[in-house]
Amino acid sequence: MFRAVAMAFGMAVAGVAAVGGGAAGAAGAAAPCAIGTWTMTWQSVVFEGTFEDKRVTTTHGGSTGTRLIIGPKTMKLDFSKSTKQNISFGYDGTGGFEIYRGSFTAGLMRTGNTKGKLTVVNKTAKGDATASYTQETPERAEGITYDVDEPLRTAVKPSRYWDSLAITRGDYTCSKKTLKITRSTSGDSGGFVHTGTFDYTFTRA
């Protein structure tokens, strides 16, 4: 059951928002709000669509402790302290969790200061980040372990890269203590025709 569902949903049926850096500006000026080290406190990724003529809703949540480091022109995602990400595929009761480990870095582009857009330069992504999936329902079964950054680095259309924690692009709002990132997508993953919404909240570490 897991193999069929995993293949259908692309196993990384999750996408995510972006983070970026930018020039600090004139000497002595305050750095753009998003630059700094952030820790994820909340995640919600929801896909809604149709698979095999059934309406399907998949959800992803958890992964608190994931660390996001934004520099003027680079970013780093560190999964060393990430909690598990719970996943419900919304299809025949299939669900489980993923554990992310390792880290990856990439170049970034950013617009705005306290509000704007963030975009990863996908071809610069590198690191040792992996994700391992375990199915829990309807029966327990070990799944697969896959590289997180390599598919992003080689993606022909980075906007279609849907891994739920490999933050690639999105809109952000930033305050002294909080960074929120959102994104929406649409596409077809192994016959699952869907739209997706991604919401993340970080606090400054």
Side-chain angles (χ1 to χ4, degrees), residues 119-179:
T119 306
V120 166
V121 182
N122 70 297
K123 294 185 182 299
T124 66
K126 60 182 180 180
D128 61 358
T130 61
S132 299
Y133 176 81
T134 298
Q135 177 178 295
E136 291 187 299
T137 59
E139 67 275 337
R140 188 175 177 85
E142 295 298 321
I144 60 174
T145 297
Y146 60 93
D147 290 332
V148 174
D149 55 287
E150 192 276 337
L152 172 61
R153 184 171 58 254
T154 58
V156 176
K157 293 183 177 180
S159 62
R160 294 296 182 89
Y161 183 64
W162 294 318
D163 191 284
S164 57
L165 279 184
I167 296 174
T168 59
R169 62 187 62 232
D171 299 317
Y172 75 91
T173 58
C174 179
S175 67
K176 184 177 180 180
K177 295 182 178 180
T178 304
L179 176 68

Side-chain angles (χ1 to χ4, degrees), residues 71-109:
K73 295 183 180 180
T74 61
M75 63 83 75
K76 179 179 181 179
L77 273 171
D78 181 355
F79 304 114
S80 61
K81 295 184 179 180
S82 298
T83 62
K84 69 180 181 181
Q85 175 180 235
N86 296 304
I87 302 174
S88 171
F89 283 111
Y91 181 82
D92 290 347
T94 303
F97 63 88
E98 282 186 310
I99 299 293
Y100 283 72
R101 287 296 178 259
S103 64
F104 79 90
T105 61
L108 293 180
M109 296 183 291

Side-chain angles (χ1 to χ4, degrees), residues 9 11 30 35 45-46 62 73 131 161 199 201:
F9 289 95
M11 198 46 255
I35 290 180
V45 177
V46 179
K73 295 183 180 180
Y161 183 64
D199 295 284
T201 299

